[in-house]
Amino acid sequence: YAATTTGGWAPHFPILHSRDLVNWKIVGAVLQEKPTWAKGDFWAPEITQDRGKFYVFYTARRDDGKNKKGTLCVAVAVSDKPDRDYQDRGILVCQEMGSIDPFFIRDEMGKPFLVWKEDGNDRRKPTWLYAQQLDENLTKLVGKPTKLFRNEGSGWENAVVEGSYIIRRGEWFYHFYSGNACCGRSCNYALGVARSKTLLGKWEKNPANPILKENETWQCPGHGSIVTTSDGSTFM
């Protein structure tokens, strides 16, 4: 299953299904109507399964009076099925500069965590990736956030790192992330990876980054997801 960005279009976050990662069919949507707290810009949904339930962590702009544009927030919707009947459970985090690109993972101790990006690049500030523990319902943050790593401010990352996707292999966590300009005709998005033995770091960036970048047939690849098939093959 996959869920996709919809921006201002409804229904929000179409759900697609495939048995071979090549042929896809739309089978539903996460949100048929806009939640009362949200203004628009429905971006970056991440669909995941944990302990018998399905969760879509996503980004949207909060409808508030302080900021006419609306502040970017991370929220979550929950269902017993992967393709329908999602119930929005509201905002998880909403930083002043904006919060975007959520990802869920359990750490080396089995504790649930939310990983996301603070939208510092929108204000020409450093862009940090954060992690913070969730409750076991995965609908509320607990404790305090931890900074994982930020953009270098030059080279292939340039002004931004975002789009986290983390897997664990052996004793290492591998944190796939994207950098540079995502969108538009002049985009130069690319994808790198960092590793750490614990979720909260210290993270070590691959000196060979970016590991996926544009070529003669593909422009601006980024914000990838990892899928492991029934035969043990792993795909981006």
Side-chain angles (χ1 to χ4, degrees):
Y1 292 92
T4 67
T5 287
T6 44
W9 293 86
H12 304 293
F13 307 132
I15 299 172
L16 298 95
H17 178 259
S18 174
R19 294 188 179 278
D20 59 9
L21 302 181
V22 177
N23 301 287
W24 293 84
K25 181 180 179 181
I26 295 175
V27 294
V30 178
L31 301 172
Q32 295 295 331
E33 297 181 355
K34 183 170 62 176
T36 55
W37 66 266
K39 185 174 185 177
D41 286 343
F42 288 82
W43 294 339
E46 192 68 55
I47 186 168
T48 189
Q49 181 183 13
D50 186 71
R51 300 186 177 182
K53 288 187 177 291
F54 296 87
Y55 301 82
V56 175
F57 296 89
Y58 69 92
T59 305
R61 289 193 186 274
R62 182 175 63 190
D63 191 358
D64 57 37
K66 299 178 183 178
N67 182 347
K68 291 183 178 179
K69 188 177 180 181
T71 305
L72 285 169
C73 303
V74 166
V76 63
V78 186
S79 178
D80 292 325
K81 305 180 181 72
D83 56 350
R84 60 189 183 275
D85 299 336
Y86 281 88
Q87 300 297 314
D88 184 62
R89 299 299 298 271
I91 294 171
L92 291 168
V93 59
C94 199
Q95 294 157 295
E96 181 184 355
M97 289 194 291
S99 307
I100 191 171
D101 290 357
F103 179 77
F104 165 77
I105 190 169
R106 289 184 177 270
D107 74 354
E108 63 280 3
M109 302 298 292
K111 296 178 181 178
F113 275 80
L114 179 73
V115 177
W116 76 93
K117 165 209 167 185
E118 185 179 25
D119 207 36
N121 56 292
D122 188 53
R123 301 191 186 181
R124 301 184 185 277
K125 301 285 186 180
T127 305
W128 282 96
L129 299 176
Y130 283 81
Q132 187 171 345
Q133 190 176 340
L134 289 155
D135 67 3
E136 282 295 334
N137 292 322
L138 311 190
T139 57
K140 182 181 179 182
L141 290 173
V142 297
K144 296 182 179 180
T146 298
K147 289 181 175 179
L148 301 184
F149 58 87
R150 54 160 285 185
N151 62 309
E152 300 295 332
S154 61
W156 78 273
E157 293 178 356
N158 201 357
V160 60
V161 291
E162 60 188 16
S164 296
Y165 197 101
I166 305 171
I167 63 172
R168 194 176 187 192
R169 290 290 184 271
E171 62 180 349
W172 294 96
F173 288 95
Y174 293 92
H175 191 149
F176 297 87
Y177 67 96
S178 298
N180 225 323
C182 69
C183 312
R185 292 180 181 271
S186 60
C187 65
N188 51 10
Y189 219 31
L191 192 145
V193 65
R195 70 176 185 174
S196 173
K197 290 188 176 181
T198 61
L199 180 63
L200 299 184
K202 185 177 180 179
W203 287 93
E204 170 193 3
K205 294 180 181 178
N206 184 358
N209 283 340
I211 60 170
L212 182 64
K213 58 185 179 180
E214 67 181 17
N215 57 30
E216 65 278 4
T217 58
W218 186 270
Q219 186 180 12
C220 311
H223 202 150
S225 296
I226 309 296
V227 176
T228 300
T229 59
S230 57
D231 67 357
S233 301
T234 304
F235 290 88
M236 172 69 71

